[in-house]
Amino acid sequence: MALKNRIIMPALTTLYEFEGGSRYADFYAERARGGVALIIINLQALYPGRAGVSGAVPDKSVREKGPVKINHDLYIPRLKGWTQAIQANGAKVAAQLAVYGFWAKGGYGEPAEEVSPSGVRLDGDQYRPDLDGLTFIRGGRPLEVDEIKMIEEEVARSAVRAVKAGFDAIELQALGGNLLSRFLS
């Protein structure tokens, strides 16, 4: 993929997607008009919910407003509108697939658990004591091999959705203690 320059806008949170309407697309389209060559949008790739919380099955309302996700086909039309607005104004757009440390093996409607590659908990002087609430420090239930394969498949399905929604590139988010970064460290 060739870019028109070296200006890349990393993924960020605006919360405009919760308002509905065109503000989210307009925000990124304006950056594209201003000369940004590549805009990266963070998208939740798994149904993870949050620990202990069951996730409701998305309905048609997600096409209008709400959190930015790519973990169900119902998000594709909304995402396609965003990619088209960005591309029409001269920029490429990448889907950053986020894989956090929460997983509901049973999918929508099931409570999510904190999961990790090994369940190892960081203790002692390895971190600041006030960071104990961070999931990558607490560990989480170790994933079973079949669950790792299920997560791989879910991320792959999200990548296919990104293609269907018109994204030019895919970035796997592996930082800040999310699940992919825990496998790397």
Side-chain angles (χ1 to χ4, degrees):
M1 178 174 68
L3 299 178
K4 64 184 178 182
N5 60 46
R6 294 181 183 191
I7 301 172
I8 298 173
M9 183 175 178
L12 57 89
T13 301
T14 64
L15 300 180
Y16 295 157
E17 66 273 19
F18 287 90
E19 297 175 3
S22 67
R23 187 172 184 192
Y24 192 85
D26 294 344
F27 173 82
Y28 285 111
E30 187 60 33
R31 271 86 203 141
R33 271 192 297 280
V36 172
L38 174 65
I39 295 172
I40 303 169
I41 297 177
N42 177 279
L43 301 164
Q44 188 170 299
L46 297 180
Y47 158 70
R50 287 286 182 245
V53 176
S54 295
V57 178
D59 60 29
K60 292 181 181 178
S61 69
V62 302
R63 293 182 182 172
E64 302 300 323
K65 62 182 179 179
V68 184
K69 298 181 183 183
I70 197 163
N71 57 19
H72 196 283
D73 287 350
L74 283 172
Y75 294 103
I76 293 172
R78 185 172 172 211
L79 296 170
K80 186 173 251 180
W82 297 346
T83 60
Q84 290 172 343
I86 292 166
Q87 292 160 342
N89 286 283
K92 303 280 187 184
V93 59
Q96 182 190 69
L97 303 184
V99 182
Y100 300 114
F102 302 99
W103 168 246
K105 186 175 182 176
Y108 290 99
E110 296 293 321
E113 299 177 80
E114 283 186 44
V115 294
S116 69
S118 66
V120 171
R121 178 185 166 79
L122 298 178
D123 291 315
D125 297 329
Q126 298 175 24
Y127 64 91
R128 293 182 359 213
D130 60 325
L131 299 180
D132 192 49
L134 297 176
T135 58
F136 67 92
I137 290 174
R138 291 195 305 256
R141 178 182 63 76
L143 288 163
E144 300 291 331
V145 172
D146 68 314
E147 289 178 296
I148 294 169
K149 290 178 181 175
M150 289 172 72
I151 290 171
E152 288 174 346
E153 291 167 4
E154 287 299 320
V155 173
R157 280 192 275 280
S158 292
V160 169
R161 287 185 196 102
V163 171
K164 289 179 180 177
F167 284 91
D168 299 296
I170 294 170
E171 175 184 88
L172 293 175
Q173 184 195 67
L175 57 87
N178 74 14
L179 191 57
L180 297 181
S181 75
R182 288 189 236 174
F183 272 93
L184 296 174
S185 60

Short mmCIF file of all heavy atoms in Angstrom, two decimals, residues 93-153:
data_model
loop_
_atom_site.label_atom_id
_atom_site.label_comp_id
_atom_site.label_asym_id
_atom_site.label_seq_id
_atom_site.Cartn_x
_atom_site.Cartn_y
_atom_site.Cartn_z
N VAL A 93 -7.41 4.04 5.19
CA VAL A 93 -7.92 3.79 6.54
C VAL A 93 -7.59 2.36 6.94
O VAL A 93 -7.75 1.43 6.15
CB VAL A 93 -9.43 4.11 6.64
CG1 VAL A 93 -10.24 3.28 5.69
CG2 VAL A 93 -9.93 3.97 8.06
N ALA A 94 -7.11 2.22 8.17
CA ALA A 94 -6.76 0.91 8.71
C ALA A 94 -7.65 0.56 9.89
O ALA A 94 -8.00 1.43 10.69
CB ALA A 94 -5.30 0.88 9.15
N ALA A 95 -8.00 -0.71 9.99
CA ALA A 95 -8.75 -1.22 11.12
C ALA A 95 -7.76 -1.78 12.13
O ALA A 95 -7.02 -2.71 11.82
CB ALA A 95 -9.71 -2.32 10.68
N GLN A 96 -7.71 -1.18 13.31
CA GLN A 96 -6.88 -1.71 14.37
C GLN A 96 -7.74 -2.69 15.17
O GLN A 96 -8.71 -2.29 15.81
CB GLN A 96 -6.37 -0.59 15.28
CG GLN A 96 -5.47 -1.08 16.39
CD GLN A 96 -5.19 0.02 17.40
OE1 GLN A 96 -6.08 0.43 18.13
NE2 GLN A 96 -3.96 0.51 17.42
N LEU A 97 -7.42 -3.96 15.10
CA LEU A 97 -8.21 -4.98 15.78
C LEU A 97 -7.71 -5.12 17.21
O LEU A 97 -6.57 -5.54 17.45
CB LEU A 97 -8.13 -6.30 15.04
CG LEU A 97 -8.56 -6.26 13.57
CD1 LEU A 97 -8.53 -7.66 12.97
CD2 LEU A 97 -9.93 -5.62 13.39
N ALA A 98 -8.55 -4.77 18.15
CA ALA A 98 -8.20 -4.82 19.57
C ALA A 98 -8.70 -6.13 20.18
O ALA A 98 -9.84 -6.53 19.95
CB ALA A 98 -8.82 -3.64 20.30
N VAL A 99 -7.84 -6.78 20.92
CA VAL A 99 -8.17 -8.04 21.58
C VAL A 99 -7.81 -7.87 23.06
O VAL A 99 -6.66 -8.03 23.45
CB VAL A 99 -7.39 -9.22 20.95
CG1 VAL A 99 -7.78 -10.53 21.62
CG2 VAL A 99 -7.63 -9.28 19.45
N TYR A 100 -8.81 -7.51 23.85
CA TYR A 100 -8.56 -7.25 25.27
C TYR A 100 -8.54 -8.56 26.05
O TYR A 100 -8.76 -9.62 25.49
CB TYR A 100 -9.59 -6.26 25.81
CG TYR A 100 -9.54 -4.95 25.06
CD1 TYR A 100 -10.59 -4.53 24.27
CD2 TYR A 100 -8.39 -4.17 25.10
CE1 TYR A 100 -10.52 -3.34 23.55
CE2 TYR A 100 -8.31 -2.98 24.37
CZ TYR A 100 -9.37 -2.57 23.61
OH TYR A 100 -9.30 -1.42 22.90
N GLY A 101 -8.26 -8.50 27.32
CA GLY A 101 -8.09 -9.69 28.14
C GLY A 101 -9.37 -10.24 28.74
O GLY A 101 -9.33 -10.85 29.81
N PHE A 102 -10.50 -10.02 28.08
CA PHE A 102 -11.77 -10.54 28.55
C PHE A 102 -12.34 -11.42 27.45
O PHE A 102 -12.28 -11.09 26.27
CB PHE A 102 -12.75 -9.41 28.86
CG PHE A 102 -12.22 -8.45 29.89
CD1 PHE A 102 -11.64 -7.26 29.52
CD2 PHE A 102 -12.31 -8.76 31.24
CE1 PHE A 102 -11.15 -6.39 30.48
CE2 PHE A 102 -11.82 -7.90 32.20
CZ PHE A 102 -11.25 -6.71 31.82
N TRP A 103 -12.94 -12.54 27.83
CA TRP A 103 -13.39 -13.50 26.84
C TRP A 103 -14.60 -14.24 27.37
O TRP A 103 -14.61 -14.70 28.51
CB TRP A 103 -12.25 -14.46 26.54
CG TRP A 103 -12.58 -15.69 25.76
CD1 TRP A 103 -12.52 -16.97 26.22
CD2 TRP A 103 -12.99 -15.78 24.40
NE1 TRP A 103 -12.86 -17.85 25.21
CE2 TRP A 103 -13.15 -17.14 24.08
CE3 TRP A 103 -13.24 -14.83 23.41
CZ2 TRP A 103 -13.55 -17.58 22.84
CZ3 TRP A 103 -13.64 -15.27 22.16
CH2 TRP A 103 -13.79 -16.62 21.88
N ALA A 104 -15.63 -14.34 26.54
CA ALA A 104 -16.80 -15.15 26.86
C ALA A 104 -16.81 -16.30 25.87
O ALA A 104 -17.19 -16.13 24.71
CB ALA A 104 -18.07 -14.33 26.75
N LYS A 105 -16.34 -17.44 26.32
CA LYS A 105 -16.21 -18.60 25.43
C LYS A 105 -17.54 -18.94 24.77
O LYS A 105 -17.58 -19.33 23.62
CB LYS A 105 -15.69 -19.79 26.23
CG LYS A 105 -15.38 -21.00 25.40
CD LYS A 105 -14.76 -22.10 26.25
CE LYS A 105 -14.41 -23.31 25.40
NZ LYS A 105 -13.74 -24.35 26.18
N GLY A 106 -18.64 -18.73 25.49
CA GLY A 106 -19.96 -19.04 24.95
C GLY A 106 -20.53 -17.95 24.06
O GLY A 106 -21.62 -18.09 23.52
N GLY A 107 -19.83 -16.83 23.91
CA GLY A 107 -20.28 -15.75 23.02
C GLY A 107 -21.26 -14.80 23.69
O GLY A 107 -21.31 -14.68 24.91
N TYR A 108 -22.06 -14.14 22.88
CA TYR A 108 -23.03 -13.16 23.36
C TYR A 108 -23.97 -13.78 24.38
O TYR A 108 -24.39 -14.93 24.24
CB TYR A 108 -23.84 -12.59 22.21
CG TYR A 108 -23.02 -11.71 21.30
CD1 TYR A 108 -22.50 -12.19 20.12
CD2 TYR A 108 -22.76 -10.40 21.66
CE1 TYR A 108 -21.74 -11.38 19.29
CE2 TYR A 108 -22.00 -9.59 20.85
CZ TYR A 108 -21.49 -10.08 19.67
OH TYR A 108 -20.73 -9.28 18.87
N GLY A 109 -24.29 -13.01 25.41
CA GLY A 109 -25.21 -13.48 26.44
C GLY A 109 -24.54 -14.24 27.56
O GLY A 109 -25.17 -14.58 28.55
N GLU A 110 -23.26 -14.52 27.42
CA GLU A 110 -22.51 -15.24 28.45
C GLU A 110 -21.61 -14.25 29.21
O GLU A 110 -21.09 -13.31 28.62
CB GLU A 110 -21.64 -16.32 27.81
CG GLU A 110 -22.43 -17.39 27.12
CD GLU A 110 -23.24 -18.23 28.09
OE1 GLU A 110 -22.73 -18.53 29.19
OE2 GLU A 110 -24.38 -18.58 27.74
N PRO A 111 -21.39 -14.47 30.49
CA PRO A 111 -20.48 -13.58 31.23
C PRO A 111 -19.04 -13.77 30.78
O PRO A 111 -18.60 -14.89 30.53
CB PRO A 111 -20.67 -14.00 32.70
CG PRO A 111 -21.32 -15.33 32.67
CD PRO A 111 -22.02 -15.47 31.35
N ALA A 112 -18.33 -12.69 30.67
CA ALA A 112 -16.93 -12.73 30.26
C ALA A 112 -16.04 -13.00 31.47
O ALA A 112 -16.41 -12.71 32.61
CB ALA A 112 -16.55 -11.41 29.60
N GLU A 113 -14.87 -13.55 31.18
CA GLU A 113 -13.87 -13.81 32.22
C GLU A 113 -12.58 -13.09 31.85
O GLU A 113 -12.29 -12.90 30.67
CB GLU A 113 -13.52 -15.29 32.28
CG GLU A 113 -14.63 -16.23 32.62
CD GLU A 113 -14.13 -17.67 32.57
OE1 GLU A 113 -13.50 -18.10 33.56
OE2 GLU A 113 -14.35 -18.33 31.55
N GLU A 114 -11.78 -12.74 32.86
CA GLU A 114 -10.42 -12.29 32.59
C GLU A 114 -9.62 -13.52 32.23
O GLU A 114 -9.64 -14.51 32.93
CB GLU A 114 -9.81 -11.64 33.83
CG GLU A 114 -10.32 -10.24 34.07
CD GLU A 114 -9.58 -9.57 35.22
OE1 GLU A 114 -8.34 -9.69 35.29
OE2 GLU A 114 -10.26 -8.94 36.02
N VAL A 115 -8.93 -13.44 31.09
CA VAL A 115 -8.13 -14.57 30.63
C VAL A 115 -6.72 -14.10 30.32
O VAL A 115 -6.46 -12.91 30.13
CB VAL A 115 -8.77 -15.23 29.39
CG1 VAL A 115 -10.09 -15.89 29.74
CG2 VAL A 115 -8.94 -14.24 28.24
N SER A 116 -5.82 -15.07 30.24
CA SER A 116 -4.42 -14.76 29.96
C SER A 116 -3.74 -15.98 29.36
O SER A 116 -4.30 -17.07 29.37
CB SER A 116 -3.72 -14.34 31.25
OG SER A 116 -3.58 -15.46 32.11
N PRO A 117 -2.53 -15.80 28.84
CA PRO A 117 -1.79 -16.94 28.30
C PRO A 117 -1.42 -17.97 29.37
O PRO A 117 -1.43 -19.16 29.11
CB PRO A 117 -0.53 -16.33 27.70
CG PRO A 117 -0.85 -14.89 27.49
CD PRO A 117 -1.84 -14.54 28.56
N SER A 118 -1.10 -17.50 30.57
CA SER A 118 -0.54 -18.41 31.56
C SER A 118 -1.17 -18.33 32.94
O SER A 118 -0.95 -19.21 33.76
CB SER A 118 0.96 -18.15 31.71
OG SER A 118 1.15 -16.85 32.27
N GLY A 119 -1.87 -17.27 33.24
CA GLY A 119 -2.41 -17.09 34.58
C GLY A 119 -1.39 -16.55 35.57
O GLY A 119 -1.69 -16.38 36.74
N VAL A 120 -0.18 -16.28 35.11
CA VAL A 120 0.86 -15.77 36.00
C VAL A 120 0.48 -14.37 36.47
O VAL A 120 0.10 -13.51 35.67
CB VAL A 120 2.23 -15.74 35.29
CG1 VAL A 120 3.27 -15.01 36.12
CG2 VAL A 120 2.68 -17.16 34.98
N ARG A 121 0.57 -14.16 37.75
CA ARG A 121 0.29 -12.86 38.35
C ARG A 121 1.61 -12.20 38.71
O ARG A 121 2.49 -12.84 39.29
CB ARG A 121 -0.56 -13.04 39.60
CG ARG A 121 -0.85 -11.75 40.31
CD ARG A 121 -1.60 -12.01 41.62
NE ARG A 121 -1.59 -10.84 42.44
CZ ARG A 121 -2.37 -9.78 42.29
NH1 ARG A 121 -3.24 -9.77 41.32
NH2 ARG A 121 -2.29 -8.75 43.09
N LEU A 122 1.74 -10.94 38.36
CA LEU A 122 2.93 -10.19 38.75
C LEU A 122 2.79 -9.77 40.21
O LEU A 122 1.79 -9.20 40.60
CB LEU A 122 3.09 -8.95 37.87
CG LEU A 122 3.30 -9.20 36.39
CD1 LEU A 122 3.39 -7.88 35.65
CD2 LEU A 122 4.55 -10.02 36.13
N ASP A 123 3.76 -10.07 40.99
CA ASP A 123 3.73 -9.73 42.41
C ASP A 123 4.99 -8.98 42.80
O ASP A 123 5.99 -8.98 42.09
CB ASP A 123 3.62 -11.00 43.27
CG ASP A 123 2.27 -11.67 43.13
OD1 ASP A 123 1.26 -10.95 43.17
OD2 ASP A 123 2.23 -12.90 42.97
N GLY A 124 4.93 -8.39 43.98
CA GLY A 124 6.11 -7.79 44.57
C GLY A 124 6.51 -6.48 43.95
O GLY A 124 5.67 -5.65 43.60
N ASP A 125 7.81 -6.29 43.80
CA ASP A 125 8.37 -5.02 43.36
C ASP A 125 8.43 -4.88 41.84
O ASP A 125 9.10 -4.01 41.33
CB ASP A 125 9.78 -4.85 43.93
CG ASP A 125 9.78 -4.80 45.44
OD1 ASP A 125 8.78 -4.30 46.01
OD2 ASP A 125 10.76 -5.25 46.05
N GLN A 126 7.73 -5.75 41.12
CA GLN A 126 7.79 -5.72 39.66
C GLN A 126 6.97 -4.57 39.07
O GLN A 126 7.09 -4.27 37.90
CB GLN A 126 7.28 -7.04 39.08
CG GLN A 126 8.12 -8.21 39.51
CD GLN A 126 7.52 -9.52 39.02
OE1 GLN A 126 6.78 -9.54 38.05
NE2 GLN A 126 7.84 -10.59 39.69
N TYR A 127 6.13 -3.96 39.86
CA TYR A 127 5.30 -2.86 39.37
C TYR A 127 4.92 -1.96 40.54
O TYR A 127 5.08 -2.32 41.70
CB TYR A 127 4.05 -3.39 38.66
CG TYR A 127 3.11 -4.16 39.58
CD1 TYR A 127 2.08 -3.51 40.25
CD2 TYR A 127 3.28 -5.51 39.80
CE1 TYR A 127 1.24 -4.19 41.10
CE2 TYR A 127 2.43 -6.20 40.64
CZ TYR A 127 1.42 -5.54 41.30
OH TYR A 127 0.58 -6.20 42.14
N ARG A 128 4.39 -0.80 40.20
CA ARG A 128 3.93 0.12 41.25
C ARG A 128 2.69 -0.46 41.92
O ARG A 128 1.78 -0.94 41.24
CB ARG A 128 3.58 1.47 40.62
CG ARG A 128 4.75 2.21 40.08
CD ARG A 128 4.41 3.57 39.52
NE ARG A 128 3.03 3.96 39.56
CZ ARG A 128 2.44 4.71 38.64
NH1 ARG A 128 3.12 5.14 37.60
NH2 ARG A 128 1.18 5.03 38.75
N PRO A 129 2.59 -0.38 43.24
CA PRO A 129 1.44 -0.98 43.94
C PRO A 129 0.09 -0.41 43.51
O PRO A 129 -0.92 -1.11 43.53
CB PRO A 129 1.71 -0.65 45.41
CG PRO A 129 3.16 -0.37 45.49
CD PRO A 129 3.57 0.15 44.15
N ASP A 130 0.05 0.84 43.07
CA ASP A 130 -1.23 1.43 42.67
C ASP A 130 -1.73 0.93 41.33
O ASP A 130 -2.82 1.27 40.90
CB ASP A 130 -1.15 2.96 42.67
CG ASP A 130 -0.09 3.50 41.71
OD1 ASP A 130 0.97 2.85 41.56
OD2 ASP A 130 -0.32 4.57 41.13
N LEU A 131 -0.96 0.09 40.66
CA LEU A 131 -1.37 -0.46 39.37
C LEU A 131 -2.01 -1.84 39.49
O LEU A 131 -2.27 -2.50 38.50
CB LEU A 131 -0.17 -0.55 38.42
CG LEU A 131 0.52 0.78 38.08
CD1 LEU A 131 1.67 0.53 37.13
CD2 LEU A 131 -0.46 1.77 37.49
N ASP A 132 -2.28 -2.27 40.71
CA ASP A 132 -2.80 -3.61 40.93
C ASP A 132 -4.12 -3.88 40.19
O ASP A 132 -4.43 -5.02 39.89
CB ASP A 132 -3.00 -3.86 42.43
CG ASP A 132 -3.27 -5.32 42.73
OD1 ASP A 132 -2.51 -6.18 42.22
OD2 ASP A 132 -4.25 -5.61 43.44
N GLY A 133 -4.87 -2.85 39.88
CA GLY A 133 -6.14 -3.03 39.19
C GLY A 133 -6.01 -3.35 37.72
O GLY A 133 -6.98 -3.73 37.08
N LEU A 134 -4.83 -3.20 37.14
CA LEU A 134 -4.66 -3.47 35.71
C LEU A 134 -4.74 -4.97 35.43
O LEU A 134 -4.12 -5.78 36.12
CB LEU A 134 -3.31 -2.93 35.22
CG LEU A 134 -3.15 -1.42 35.32
CD1 LEU A 134 -1.75 -1.00 34.90
CD2 LEU A 134 -4.19 -0.70 34.47
N THR A 135 -5.50 -5.33 34.42
CA THR A 135 -5.76 -6.74 34.16
C THR A 135 -4.50 -7.53 33.86
O THR A 135 -4.40 -8.69 34.24
CB THR A 135 -6.76 -6.92 33.01
OG1 THR A 135 -6.25 -6.31 31.85
CG2 THR A 135 -8.11 -6.36 33.37
N PHE A 136 -3.53 -6.95 33.17
CA PHE A 136 -2.35 -7.73 32.83
C PHE A 136 -1.48 -8.00 34.04
O PHE A 136 -0.64 -8.89 34.02
CB PHE A 136 -1.54 -7.09 31.69
CG PHE A 136 -0.88 -5.78 32.02
CD1 PHE A 136 0.41 -5.75 32.51
CD2 PHE A 136 -1.56 -4.60 31.80
CE1 PHE A 136 1.01 -4.53 32.78
CE2 PHE A 136 -0.96 -3.39 32.07
CZ PHE A 136 0.34 -3.35 32.57
N ILE A 137 -1.68 -7.27 35.13
CA ILE A 137 -0.96 -7.55 36.37
C ILE A 137 -1.69 -8.62 37.18
O ILE A 137 -1.08 -9.50 37.77
CB ILE A 137 -0.77 -6.25 37.18
CG1 ILE A 137 0.25 -5.37 36.45
CG2 ILE A 137 -0.33 -6.55 38.61
CD1 ILE A 137 0.43 -4.00 37.03
N ARG A 138 -3.01 -8.57 37.15
CA ARG A 138 -3.79 -9.55 37.92
C ARG A 138 -3.71 -10.95 37.33
O ARG A 138 -4.01 -11.92 37.99
CB ARG A 138 -5.26 -9.13 37.96
CG ARG A 138 -5.51 -7.89 38.80
CD ARG A 138 -6.98 -7.73 39.10
NE ARG A 138 -7.82 -7.72 37.93
CZ ARG A 138 -8.37 -6.63 37.41
NH1 ARG A 138 -8.13 -5.46 37.95
NH2 ARG A 138 -9.14 -6.70 36.37
N GLY A 139 -3.35 -11.06 36.08
CA GLY A 139 -3.27 -12.39 35.45
C GLY A 139 -4.56 -12.74 34.77
O GLY A 139 -4.89 -12.20 33.73
N GLY A 140 -5.33 -13.60 35.34
CA GLY A 140 -6.56 -14.07 34.73
C GLY A 140 -6.47 -15.56 34.51
O GLY A 140 -5.39 -16.16 34.54
N ARG A 141 -7.60 -16.17 34.24
CA ARG A 141 -7.63 -17.60 34.01
C ARG A 141 -6.84 -17.94 32.76
O ARG A 141 -7.01 -17.32 31.72
CB ARG A 141 -9.09 -18.06 33.84
CG ARG A 141 -9.20 -19.56 33.55
CD ARG A 141 -10.64 -19.98 33.34
NE ARG A 141 -11.29 -19.37 32.20
CZ ARG A 141 -11.10 -19.71 30.93
NH1 ARG A 141 -10.23 -20.64 30.60
NH2 ARG A 141 -11.78 -19.11 29.96
N PRO A 142 -5.96 -18.95 32.86
CA PRO A 142 -5.20 -19.33 31.66
C PRO A 142 -6.14 -19.90 30.59
O PRO A 142 -7.05 -20.67 30.90
CB PRO A 142 -4.24 -20.41 32.15
CG PRO A 142 -4.36 -20.48 33.61
CD PRO A 142 -5.58 -19.72 34.03
N LEU A 143 -5.93 -19.50 29.37
CA LEU A 143 -6.73 -20.01 28.26
C LEU A 143 -6.37 -21.46 27.96
O LEU A 143 -5.21 -21.86 28.07
CB LEU A 143 -6.49 -19.17 27.01
CG LEU A 143 -7.09 -17.77 27.02
CD1 LEU A 143 -6.46 -16.91 25.95
CD2 LEU A 143 -8.59 -17.84 26.84
N GLU A 144 -7.37 -22.21 27.55
CA GLU A 144 -7.15 -23.57 27.05
C GLU A 144 -6.75 -23.46 25.57
O GLU A 144 -7.07 -22.47 24.90
CB GLU A 144 -8.43 -24.40 27.18
CG GLU A 144 -8.94 -24.54 28.61
CD GLU A 144 -8.04 -25.40 29.48
OE1 GLU A 144 -7.37 -26.31 28.93
OE2 GLU A 144 -7.99 -25.16 30.70
N VAL A 145 -6.08 -24.46 25.06
CA VAL A 145 -5.63 -24.44 23.66
C VAL A 145 -6.82 -24.26 22.71
O VAL A 145 -6.74 -23.48 21.76
CB VAL A 145 -4.83 -25.71 23.32
CG1 VAL A 145 -4.53 -25.79 21.83
CG2 VAL A 145 -3.54 -25.76 24.12
N ASP A 146 -7.95 -24.92 22.99
CA ASP A 146 -9.11 -24.77 22.11
C ASP A 146 -9.65 -23.35 22.15
O ASP A 146 -10.14 -22.84 21.14
CB ASP A 146 -10.20 -25.79 22.43
CG ASP A 146 -10.85 -25.56 23.79
OD1 ASP A 146 -10.13 -25.33 24.79
OD2 ASP A 146 -12.10 -25.62 23.86
N GLU A 147 -9.55 -22.68 23.28
CA GLU A 147 -10.00 -21.28 23.37
C GLU A 147 -9.09 -20.36 22.58
O GLU A 147 -9.56 -19.42 21.94
CB GLU A 147 -10.03 -20.82 24.83
CG GLU A 147 -11.12 -21.45 25.64
CD GLU A 147 -11.06 -20.98 27.08
OE1 GLU A 147 -10.06 -21.27 27.76
OE2 GLU A 147 -12.02 -20.32 27.50
N ILE A 148 -7.79 -20.62 22.62
CA ILE A 148 -6.85 -19.82 21.83
C ILE A 148 -7.20 -19.92 20.36
O ILE A 148 -7.24 -18.93 19.63
CB ILE A 148 -5.39 -20.25 22.10
CG1 ILE A 148 -5.01 -19.94 23.56
CG2 ILE A 148 -4.43 -19.55 21.13
CD1 ILE A 148 -3.70 -20.56 24.00
N LYS A 149 -7.51 -21.13 19.92
CA LYS A 149 -7.92 -21.33 18.52
C LYS A 149 -9.23 -20.59 18.22
O LYS A 149 -9.39 -20.01 17.15
CB LYS A 149 -8.02 -22.81 18.20
CG LYS A 149 -6.67 -23.49 18.18
CD LYS A 149 -6.76 -24.97 17.92
CE LYS A 149 -5.35 -25.56 17.94
NZ LYS A 149 -5.34 -27.00 17.81
N MET A 150 -10.17 -20.61 19.17
CA MET A 150 -11.43 -19.89 18.98
C MET A 150 -11.17 -18.39 18.86
O MET A 150 -11.78 -17.72 18.02
CB MET A 150 -12.37 -20.16 20.16
CG MET A 150 -12.93 -21.57 20.20
SD MET A 150 -13.84 -21.90 21.74
CE MET A 150 -15.30 -20.89 21.47
N ILE A 151 -10.27 -17.87 19.69
CA ILE A 151 -9.95 -16.44 19.64
C ILE A 151 -9.28 -16.10 18.31
O ILE A 151 -9.61 -15.08 17.68
CB ILE A 151 -9.08 -16.04 20.85
CG1 ILE A 151 -9.94 -16.08 22.12
CG2 ILE A 151 -8.45 -14.66 20.65
CD1 ILE A 151 -9.17 -15.93 23.42
N GLU A 152 -8.37 -16.95 17.85
CA GLU A 152 -7.75 -16.74 16.54
C GLU A 152 -8.82 -16.66 15.45
O GLU A 152 -8.76 -15.79 14.57
CB GLU A 152 -6.79 -17.88 16.20
CG GLU A 152 -5.51 -17.89 16.99
CD GLU A 152 -4.66 -19.11 16.71
OE1 GLU A 152 -5.15 -20.10 16.10
OE2 GLU A 152 -3.49 -19.11 17.11
N GLU A 153 -9.80 -17.56 15.51
CA GLU A 153 -10.87 -17.57 14.52
C GLU A 153 -11.73 -16.31 14.60
O GLU A 153 -12.13 -15.76 13.56
CB GLU A 153 -11.74 -18.82 14.70
CG GLU A 153 -11.01 -20.10 14.32
CD GLU A 153 -11.73 -21.36 14.77
OE1 GLU A 153 -12.85 -21.27 15.33
OE2 GLU A 153 -11.15 -22.45 14.57
#
